[in-house]
Amino acid sequence: MTTARKTPEELRSHQWYGSSISSGLRSFSHRARTRQLGYLPEEHLGKPVIAILNTWSDINPCHVHLRDRAQAVKRGVWQAGGFPLEFPVSTLSETFQKPTPMLYRNLLAMETEELLRSYPVDGAVLMGGCDKSTPALLMGAATVDLPTVFVPAGPMLPGHWRNEVLGSGTDMWKYWDDKRAGLIGDCEMAELENGLARSPGHCMTMGTASTLTAAAETLGVTVPGASSIPAVDSGHDRMAAASGLRIVDMVWDDLKLSKLLTADAYEDAVATVLALGGSTNAVIHLIAMAGRSGVTLTLDDFDRIARTVPVLANLRPGGRYLMEDFHFAGGLPAFLAQLTDVLHLDRPTVSCTTMREQLEGAQVHNPDVIRPRSNPLADEGGVAVLRGNLCPDGAVIKHIAAEPHLLKHTGPAVVFDDYRTMQRTINDPDLGITADHVLVLRNSGPKGGPGMPEYGMLPIPDHLLKQGVRDMVRISDARMSGTSYGACVLHIAPESYVGGPLALVRTGDRITLDVEARTLHLDVTDEELAQRKAVWTPPPARYERGYGALYNEQITQADTGCDFAFLARPGEVHDPYAG
């Protein structure tokens, strides 16, 4: 995409390897150790060295196929005349990692940044997809600013149970509530356990994984159409090879991430997330990613853009279909072609001179999956930003996944001080919980969780489920899974653990949610809140040492992306001296 291509001597890796004995002792040592690895000089000298950062793991079902996909990436790199090196990096498994992989997103971002900076690499291919992996890899890579391509892990195949098509996460919550309501039993649950997740790949609903990989494609850091290809489809293998082919040319052309990750690109990613009816988690991650790119993105930007785009993706949890349907309906290129009036089309992507060029010829093959502007799933973007005395720095709600009658609601609070207490007491009849109550969970934010776990879809009490109640207003400083649904107000900032207003709510206080007005209000006077704040005492520290102590010291609040303060601040870090 640039006219002047690099020469072999201008490659970053040349600082390590040189080209001859006269290059110096360190270069001689680096070449000798490369011979120790079994590589010939002709295989790597004068060629772009490509780091393949692979989040594969035996314990991560979303990424278990990436060991094979890395071979396809290598195939592409070799074909293009580059030299691939695979680096194993931390795996963030949403399914298994406790208390939450969100606690470790910044750790993977740090690992990505330091690996790319400290080794002799000219470009990078990032392999991930499970919720926190996409933002973590791109946050770290953006800071180093090498030519980079992202390879999404891809969604798993649709689930099946009897005559039902299942969506991971979304239908798990649904049928678990059915079991608690006494509508199905252990035999049905055993069958569901075997049919819910049928293949490698991340959730095939428009949960956090699909939302963030779609955002990555919109940002222009994947090859076209990459984000929706099913993980086990042969097209996924071809996409990985195409990514390997492309990264080599990007190195010669010096097409760095900073040329792609612009303010316009992030605005387009926000518009995409909102028009997809995507996960609320994307709000936190995109703010953090933008910050690493030197771009200021705020909650107000999300709310502003939400009012300009309709929801056009008929995908669970807010709609009907799954990611395989979306892929064969035309995928993200066809989807973005419906939004050209709000996108910045003259910015570059990894594959094309402009996004406009990338979207040429994209067609929708199923207008019920990817809706036209004349028939949207909702008139405005799927996430609303709330303000009020309960959330002075903001909160979010995925209102398209809530029952409409709850979008303007006033009710008395039932307060739980932590998640374990809530689990233990939610069904206590002495609490007298009705469908009109507002369930409040605190101490589940970035510091209080710790790591802001996905506790925000608080369970509805069993006795209400048996009465047919399937949604209630629920408020917390936690997050919720992108596959979840319901009238759940999330990400309240500042969090209760640091003394935010949520810490001052008492059972019986009346709370008003008004999504149309974008407000969340606690019906308590300022004087009363000040008196409560005066007697509030901070909880004890969650960690006394280790990574957790670093996290507690450095983590920022949800409205600013939950990044580490020392990583988010501006400042230059130079390449290491390799001579």
Side-chain angles (χ1 to χ4, degrees):
M1 294 185 186
T2 57
T3 54
R5 286 168 67 91
K6 282 188 173 182
T7 66
E9 291 74 27
E10 293 173 317
L11 292 173
R12 184 173 179 272
S13 58
H14 184 76
Q15 300 173 51
W16 274 260
Y17 287 119
S19 56
S20 65
I21 299 298
S22 61
S23 301
L25 173 62
R26 292 297 178 188
S27 295
F28 170 78
S29 172
H30 297 150
R31 293 195 303 274
R33 291 299 187 174
T34 307
R35 303 300 159 265
Q36 181 186 8
L37 290 168
Y39 296 117
L40 294 165
E42 294 82 1
E43 291 185 79
H44 72 98
L45 288 181
K47 297 181 178 182
V49 178
I50 306 301
I52 302 170
L53 271 57
N54 194 348
T55 53
W56 166 86
S57 171
D58 276 334
I59 194 64
N60 191 336
C62 305
H63 295 179
V64 72
H65 59 303
L66 293 185
R67 172 184 269 180
D68 293 333
R69 293 299 175 273
Q71 301 309 308
V73 175
K74 290 178 183 178
R75 193 172 76 229
V77 172
W78 282 319
Q79 280 285 88
F83 180 62
L85 294 172
E86 186 176 356
F87 290 73
V89 293
S90 301
T91 195
L92 305 182
S93 174
E94 196 66 40
T95 307
F96 292 106
Q97 196 168 24
K98 305 300 178 189
T100 166
M102 184 64 178
L103 187 67
Y104 302 104
R105 183 200 69 181
N106 297 341
L107 185 63
L108 176 55
M110 291 169 65
E111 183 180 17
T112 299
E113 176 179 345
E114 299 307 325
L115 279 176
L116 293 179
R117 180 175 288 115
S118 60
Y119 278 96
V121 299
D122 302 297
V125 175
L126 312 175
M127 305 187 69
C130 188
D131 297 13
K132 315 306 178 293
S133 303
T134 300
L137 291 166
L138 286 170
M139 286 164 67
T143 310
V144 182
D145 196 22
L146 297 177
T148 302
V149 175
F150 184 76
V151 172
M156 67 177 90
L157 295 177
H160 282 278
W161 175 60
R162 297 182 180 177
N163 197 38
E164 298 289 328
V165 177
L166 304 177
S168 58
T170 301
D171 282 305
M172 177 182 72
W173 316 119
K174 174 182 180 295
Y175 285 109
W176 188 255
D177 281 352
D178 282 353
K179 181 180 186 300
R180 293 172 57 220
L183 300 178
I184 60 175
D186 290 345
C187 291
E188 289 87 354
M189 292 304 292
E191 293 176 11
L192 284 160
E193 188 175 301
N194 290 322
L196 191 64
R198 298 172 47 236
S199 77
H202 59 65
C203 291
M204 70 306 234
T205 52
M206 187 45 69
T208 305
S210 294
T211 302
L212 267 296
T213 54
E217 184 173 339
T218 304
L219 288 168
V221 297
T222 77
V223 297
S227 63
S228 65
I229 305 172
V232 294
D233 193 297
S234 62
H236 198 267
D237 221 33
R238 297 192 297 272
M239 177 271 295
S243 300
L245 278 163
R246 183 69 193 113
I247 186 60
V248 176
D249 263 347
M250 288 174 64
V251 169
W252 289 125
D253 290 335
D254 200 27
L255 182 56
K256 296 179 178 180
L257 266 182
S258 58
K259 298 177 182 177
L260 307 177
L261 299 182
T262 62
D264 286 349
Y266 280 108
E267 284 219 350
D268 289 352
V270 171
T272 299
V273 165
L274 294 168
L276 284 168
S279 168
T280 50
N281 289 305
V283 178
I284 294 175
H285 295 311
L286 282 172
I287 288 173
M289 291 162 63
R292 293 295 190 94
S293 300
V295 173
T296 300
L297 191 65
T298 69
L299 289 178
D300 291 337
D301 291 318
F302 278 84
D303 201 54
R304 170 178 56 83
I305 296 170
R307 298 172 189 272
T308 68
V309 293
V311 178
L312 300 180
N314 188 7
L315 299 171
R316 299 183 203 182
R320 171 185 175 188
Y321 295 99
L322 298 173
M323 286 303 296
E324 188 172 27
D325 304 307
F326 183 76
H327 177 65
F328 290 113
L332 200 70
F335 179 82
L336 293 180
Q338 312 309 302
L339 298 171
T340 53
D341 59 314
V342 300
L343 300 178
H344 301 86
L345 298 176
D346 295 320
R347 57 184 178 86
T349 71
V350 298
S351 295
C352 296
T353 303
T354 64
M355 177 61 79
R356 188 187 310 276
E357 177 187 336
Q358 185 161 308
L359 298 182
E360 283 180 6
Q363 293 183 347
V364 174
H365 305 300
N366 186 334
D368 193 38
V369 178
I370 300 174
R371 297 283 186 90
R373 295 291 284 268
S374 59
N375 184 31
L377 203 69
D379 292 331
E380 287 190 355
V383 174
V385 175
L386 308 175
R387 303 278 183 178
N389 68 346
L390 195 49
C391 53
D393 292 337
V396 301
I397 182 172
K398 187 173 181 177
H399 53 293
I400 65 162
E403 292 190 5
H405 75 278
L406 293 173
L407 298 182
K408 186 173 184 178
H409 178 84
T410 298
V414 177
V415 180
F416 302 96
D417 279 326
D418 60 75
Y419 190 69
R420 292 185 187 184
T421 300
M422 184 276 300
Q423 286 181 307
R424 188 175 67 251
T425 62
I426 188 70
N427 292 311
D428 185 346
D430 290 341
L431 293 178
I433 299 175
T434 71
D436 289 330
H437 277 89
V438 176
L439 303 181
V440 176
L441 174 67
R442 56 186 172 214
N443 293 314
S444 298
K447 293 189 177 187
M452 211 178 176
E454 293 182 341
Y455 294 162
M457 187 182 171
L458 279 68
I460 294 169
D462 287 354
H463 72 277
L464 293 180
L465 288 173
K466 290 173 182 176
Q467 296 171 23
V469 176
R470 283 297 185 272
D471 199 3
M472 295 176 65
V473 175
R474 290 158 277 181
I475 295 174
S476 73
D477 47 14
R479 299 176 300 109
M480 77 175 184
S481 168
T483 66
S484 302
Y485 50 86
C488 301
V489 178
L490 311 160
H491 310 179
I492 284 186
E495 64 175 309
S496 57
Y497 187 83
V498 299
L502 194 66
L504 311 178
V505 182
R506 294 177 180 173
T507 293
D509 289 346
R510 294 186 70 78
I511 295 173
T512 296
L513 166 68
D514 189 336
V515 173
E516 184 177 358
R518 300 297 199 263
T519 58
L520 181 69
H521 184 75
L522 176 66
D523 190 15
V524 174
T525 65
D526 292 344
E527 292 77 14
E528 171 66 16
L529 288 176
Q531 291 174 13
R532 294 182 187 182
K533 184 64 181 287
V535 298
W536 176 81
T537 56
R542 296 292 192 192
Y543 296 95
E544 294 184 355
R545 60 164 301 280
Y547 174 75
L550 172 68
Y551 182 94
N552 188 71
E553 175 188 308
Q554 292 290 328
I555 197 67
T556 65
Q557 290 293 296
D559 60 303
T560 55
C562 295
D563 201 356
F564 284 166
F566 77 96
L567 294 174
R569 68 186 180 216
E572 193 163 352
V573 179
H574 296 284
D575 264 356
Y577 177 63

